[in-house]
Amino acid sequence: MAELQKKAESDTTPAPVAAVPPPSNDAVAKKAPEVAADDSKALVVVPEKTPVPENKPSSKGSLDRDVALAELEKEKRLSYVKAWEESEKSKTENKAQKNLSDVVAWENSKKAALEAQLRKIEERLEKKKAEYGEKMKNKIALVHKEAEERRAMIEAKRGEDLLKAEELAAKFRATGTTPKKPVLGCF
């Protein structure tokens, strides 16, 4: 606590500036080239502008110092809270991103599994389709074969019926009789 008080006092009081006598013209002329070389590498210290409570002259110096320390403690606490908040937000964001990537990976694996299953089903269906197609072609061939047999039977019967009709017609001509069934309708 004593260190913070010393630090607070040193932060609030400006550092004394040492008085340097102005150099003579001869000294300036001799050191001019060095100054140009030093300017290119010169560093300027810019003091941070932090809100510093104005020290009002009062007889209660310890009270002002306590107020300044309390404000420093408050700022310190607020900066810790802000750092914690940022840390928690980044943790939450990282966790959410991890969970989202896990969901994407899960979705991709499930999609791949389902697509593989679909391909298997499609292959099985294609196989069944080929089998059924082959069965249908065999059935069509059997129907065609049976139709050919029936046509052959009909042609054979027609040939027999024509021969029978020619034989009966020759018989009727030879005997001179007429058929009992009228062929041409009403005579």
Side-chain angles (χ1 to χ4, degrees):
M1 189 73 171
E3 291 176 10
L4 288 176
Q5 290 175 351
K6 289 178 184 177
K7 185 176 180 181
E9 288 175 8
S10 66
D11 286 344
T12 57
T13 58
V17 178
V20 178
S24 65
N25 288 339
D26 295 333
V28 172
K30 290 179 184 176
K31 289 191 176 184
E34 292 177 15
V35 172
D38 287 341
D39 284 342
S40 64
K41 296 180 182 178
L43 296 176
V44 178
V45 178
V46 178
E48 286 188 25
K49 293 187 178 183
T50 56
V52 178
E54 294 181 17
N55 288 336
K56 297 180 183 176
S58 69
S59 61
K60 299 180 183 178
S62 64
L63 182 63
D64 289 340
R65 185 177 50 214
D66 289 343
V67 169
L69 286 175
E71 286 184 21
L72 280 175
E73 287 293 323
K74 181 180 177 183
E75 288 177 17
K76 183 178 175 182
R77 188 175 64 247
L78 290 176
S79 68
Y80 282 142
V81 168
K82 186 174 182 179
W84 177 85
E85 179 185 14
E86 292 297 322
S87 173
E88 289 298 312
K89 284 181 179 179
S90 67
K91 283 181 190 177
T92 303
E93 285 296 322
N94 292 340
K95 188 174 183 179
Q97 286 297 325
K98 182 184 178 294
N99 289 341
L100 287 175
S101 66
D102 289 346
V103 168
V104 168
W106 175 83
E107 179 186 20
N108 289 340
S109 68
K110 290 297 182 180
K111 279 183 182 178
L114 290 174
E115 287 173 357
Q117 188 178 4
L118 178 63
R119 280 192 298 276
K120 284 182 181 179
I121 291 171
E122 285 176 348
E123 288 174 7
R124 197 172 1 161
L125 289 176
E126 287 294 324
K127 203 176 204 182
K128 282 186 178 183
K129 182 180 175 183
E131 289 173 2
Y132 284 130
E134 194 66 31
K135 285 181 182 178
M136 291 299 122
K137 285 180 184 178
N138 290 341
K139 285 183 180 181
I140 290 171
L142 286 175
V143 167
H144 183 67
K145 182 180 175 185
E146 191 176 333
E148 286 295 323
E149 289 173 357
R150 287 185 181 184
R151 281 190 204 104
M153 287 174 55
I154 291 172
E155 286 294 323
K157 184 165 173 38
R158 187 181 96 190
E160 287 176 6
D161 287 345
L162 285 177
L163 271 174
K164 187 176 178 183
E166 286 177 5
E167 287 175 1
L168 284 175
K171 179 181 167 187
F172 288 137
R173 282 188 203 114
T175 60
T177 59
T178 60
K180 294 182 181 172
K181 293 183 193 174
V183 179
L184 298 173
C186 295
F187 262 94

